[in-house]
Amino acid sequence: MKATYPPFDMVLFGGTGDLVIRKLLPALYHLHRGNKLPEGRIVCLGRSQPDTATYLEKIRPQVEDYLGTFFALDIWEAFTQRIDFLQLDVENPGDFQSLGKLLDKHPGRARIFYLSTSPDLFAGVCQNIAAAKLNLGNSRVVLEKPLGHDLDSSNQINDTVGAYFTEQQIYRIDHYLGKEPVQNLLALRFGNTFLEPLWRREWISDVQITVTEQVGVESRAAFYDHTGALRDMVQNHLLQLLCIVAMEPPASINADAVRDEKLKVLRSLKPLDQEGLLTKVVRGQYRAGAAEGKPADGYQDEPGVAPHSRTETFVALKTEISSWRWAGVPFYLRTGKRMSERLAEIVVNFRKVPHSIFGRQPMTPNRLVIRLQPNESVRLHLMAKQPGDQMRLRPVFLDLDFKEVFESRSPEAYERLLMDVIRGDLSLFVRRDEQIAAWKWVEPILEAWESNPEGPKPYTAGTWGPAASSALLSRDGLCWHEEA
Ligand code: BG6
């Protein structure tokens, strides 16, 4: 069925950049192909291409590559009828007048300004949008991470954007919130009754959130070497996942109801004291090893990385939430590049049975594994009786494989999020106060690292990170999911 949302104009700043080509245009293509996009135009902006035809010719092979078997020439041609390319220098106010002329062709449409540029350009872009009077009541601005380097710089960016757009117009993207299994976790938690009474300290022993990648720093050293894994992944994606796992049931799915609950979690994260900063946080950096069966360079030998860089490519940490529901339950977070597998999953470990009636048979505690990627699934580990004349128990699992059950392709995170921007739904976007709370919690770690002469611990590319990561859990009598 054709969507009935009002028409829109989406302006993509950074139109020749990686994000637009690899994520945004493919996502919009899928939405177009699924007949989900309302009427509207997509305006890609950049400096390097002269006109729309040359731009489309240049980007097509890359978009095609990304879309793989979903690319069809007739659909692409119909889709690109919606696209205009406009040469624009973000620092030249005159160019924004030309953009205005293009947008004025369709008065009344919701205007979406997607800032897929480096954040140091945000201020200038917003200023020029305002000076050219392009921001109308129904306009929206979408901000890509990283939103700052620390609390101060994030406040500066938010203040600048906030001078021209209201909070209700600002869509701060954390693409992890757009992933299907993350929204499914909301469905699982709040669309069923059986989990709720168990979802608390009395029944849960620990929670593990892992997001690992096999890729290294790729071509992003210029950005990554002064960012590191804590800012790139933990401050946003991992803490957001933690919020979805730990938040109280919101009163509704309304944006502020959900964001209020997430904010409470962030504000209840136990601050790390001096000792905790040393013992509950592990930072690592990959050394030469292997990735996907091929030799892989160490981080410091990657092109563009400073020779003695202390930037962390791995973080594992333990935190707790100070609340009646979660007091005393450790939450372990872990992320890294050049790891053994590409994996994103949330593992909820339940407590042991209080008394076993099955003699000395080993009893594996229940475990709920929510797999975000690859192979989106929810798996509940249980004990069951093995068929036969004896009472022998063994671990089994109940599996919900999304591909099998729903027999359809799961939309990419950006498809969902772009559609939400078009329909004006802020629920899956990060509010400013959430961002502040996340930075406040993370900043002491950054400060402690800064002043600690001991740099990141080395780990071999293609492994699960430094030994200290396993030790973080073994000290508590636990182990990471893959070690169990
Ligand atoms: C981005 C980080 O936000 O997320 C990247 O900047 C990382 O460094 C990426 O590779 C991971 O996203 P996904 O969806 O591929 O797991």
Side-chain angles (χ1 to χ4, degrees):
M1 204 178 69
K2 182 85 182 149
T4 52
Y5 301 107
F8 70 98
D9 277 325
M10 186 176 287
V11 181
L12 304 177
F13 287 85
T16 48
D18 226 34
L19 186 80
V20 169
I21 293 170
R22 286 178 49 194
K23 297 284 184 188
L24 304 185
L25 288 178
L28 289 162
Y29 169 96
H30 277 301
L31 291 169
H32 168 87
R33 181 176 148 268
N35 206 18
K36 297 200 178 103
L37 275 186
E39 186 191 339
R41 298 206 64 74
I42 300 159
V43 185
C44 299
L45 304 175
R47 278 185 307 184
S48 57
Q49 299 301 321
D51 53 43
T52 306
T54 323
Y55 171 72
L56 290 174
E57 202 178 315
K58 166 105 197 324
I59 62 163
R60 190 184 121 182
Q62 294 166 73
V63 179
E64 188 175 338
D65 198 33
Y66 194 80
L67 287 167
T69 54
F70 292 106
F71 182 86
L73 192 57
D74 54 335
I75 301 176
W76 172 253
E77 279 171 356
F79 169 61
T80 53
Q81 294 299 310
R82 289 173 174 270
I83 300 181
D84 290 305
F85 178 83
L86 187 71
Q87 231 179 13
L88 177 138
D89 174 356
V90 292
E91 284 165 359
N92 180 0
D95 286 359
F96 285 74
Q97 301 292 344
S98 319
L99 174 61
K101 279 196 196 125
L102 192 64
L103 298 178
D104 283 344
K105 284 191 186 164
H106 304 284
R109 283 189 179 173
R111 289 181 180 175
I112 297 162
F113 299 102
Y114 198 121
L115 308 198
S116 162
T117 63
S118 153
D120 38 296
L121 298 176
F122 287 0
V125 171
C126 290
Q127 219 163 2
N128 284 331
I129 289 176
K133 302 202 168 37
L134 306 185
N135 175 10
L136 309 178
N138 61 354
S139 301
R140 288 143 218 182
V141 63
V142 186
L143 306 180
E144 258 302 329
K145 67 178 267 285
L147 273 189
H149 204 62
D150 51 19
L151 182 57
D152 270 357
S153 51
S154 137
N155 273 334
Q156 266 170 29
I157 295 174
N158 280 311
D159 284 347
T160 320
V161 178
Y164 305 103
F165 292 90
T166 64
E167 183 65 26
Q168 288 304 310
Q169 292 179 294
I170 303 177
Y171 290 70
R172 295 180 192 83
I173 288 241
D174 185 311
H175 78 279
Y176 265 67
L177 292 178
K179 290 189 187 264
E180 276 289 318
V182 176
Q183 293 155 60
N184 234 306
L185 180 54
L186 289 174
L188 191 71
R189 284 197 60 198
F190 306 123
N192 300 288
T193 50
F194 78 102
L195 270 180
E196 169 52 23
L198 307 176
W199 208 251
R200 56 189 61 250
R201 62 193 300 281
E202 288 82 356
W203 299 107
I204 290 179
S205 83
D206 64 283
V207 177
Q208 304 178 6
I209 302 178
T210 293
V211 180
T212 53
E213 301 177 272
Q214 281 189 314
V215 292
V217 66
E218 298 178 286
S219 54
R220 298 165 72 220
F223 155 75
Y224 196 86
D225 205 33
H226 65 265
T227 303
L230 191 74
R231 291 185 176 97
D232 188 39
M233 299 292 291
V234 178
Q235 187 272 344
N236 32 66
H237 304 324
L238 275 87
L239 287 184
Q240 284 292 327
L241 293 181
L242 178 143
C243 286
I244 304 280
V245 175
M247 72 183 186
E248 293 298 318
S252 72
I253 195 78
N254 160 285
D256 279 328
V258 174
R259 300 189 302 178
D260 286 347
E261 295 307 333
K262 286 197 289 156
L263 178 64
K264 281 188 214 157
V265 175
L266 291 167
R267 288 187 173 157
S268 319
L269 286 175
K270 223 182 199 176
L272 287 160
D273 58 15
Q274 280 314 311
E275 199 206 324
L277 287 165
L278 290 174
T279 58
K280 295 183 184 166
V281 188
V282 177
R283 61 172 159 162
Q285 189 188 74
Y286 61 85
R287 297 287 185 260
E292 294 165 285
K294 290 189 214 121
D297 282 342
Y299 178 71
Q300 295 185 0
D301 297 321
E302 299 270 23
V305 169
H308 301 291
S309 169
R310 281 162 50 99
T311 300
E312 78 287 356
T313 58
F314 173 94
V315 178
L317 60 84
K318 172 182 172 182
T319 181
E320 277 178 46
I321 298 169
S322 305
S323 70
W324 275 47
R325 188 186 286 269
W326 294 116
V329 177
F331 282 73
Y332 300 98
L333 312 186
R334 170 176 61 160
T335 184
K337 292 204 183 278
R338 279 280 185 251
M339 304 281 292
S340 173
E341 277 176 39
R342 172 176 183 253
L343 177 72
E345 68 179 17
I346 299 165
V347 178
V348 179
N349 285 315
F350 289 85
R351 295 197 185 279
K352 291 185 188 138
V353 289
H355 163 69
S356 174
I357 61 168
F358 303 107
R360 287 168 175 237
Q361 292 189 53
M363 300 289 288
T364 311
N366 298 132
R367 164 177 296 177
L368 184 69
V369 182
I370 300 135
R371 172 73 69 93
L372 277 57
Q373 60 197 30
N375 313 328
E376 301 166 11
S377 62
V378 175
R379 181 173 278 194
L380 180 60
H381 294 240
L382 303 165
M383 294 301 288
K385 181 188 169 297
Q386 193 158 332
D389 56 3
Q390 291 195 24
M391 196 58 177
R392 288 249 171 271
L393 270 64
R394 74 176 171 95
V396 291
F397 46 78
L398 293 177
D399 220 355
L400 167 63
D401 181 319
F402 290 91
K403 237 194 217 145
E404 258 174 39
V405 175
F406 297 106
E407 289 176 352
S408 65
R409 168 190 158 268
S410 261
E412 291 270 341
Y414 277 101
E415 291 172 48
R416 167 67 199 251
L417 296 173
L418 287 171
M419 219 35 234
D420 281 355
V421 181
I422 292 169
R423 58 184 160 221
D425 180 352
L426 278 158
S427 337
L428 298 177
F429 296 83
V430 180
R431 210 167 54 189
R432 182 172 178 173
D433 47 11
E434 288 179 75
Q435 219 179 34
I436 293 176
W439 274 122
K440 278 193 176 157
W441 189 78
V442 154
E443 253 189 0
I445 305 177
L446 292 168
E447 283 160 13
W449 283 351
E450 192 77 20
S451 58
N452 187 344
E454 198 190 319
K457 295 193 188 312
Y459 64 96
T460 306
T463 65
W464 284 103
S469 160
S470 299
L472 181 70
L473 276 76
S474 60
R475 278 202 302 268
D476 296 337
L478 301 168
C479 62
W480 290 107
H481 182 199
E482 79 280 354
E483 296 169 339

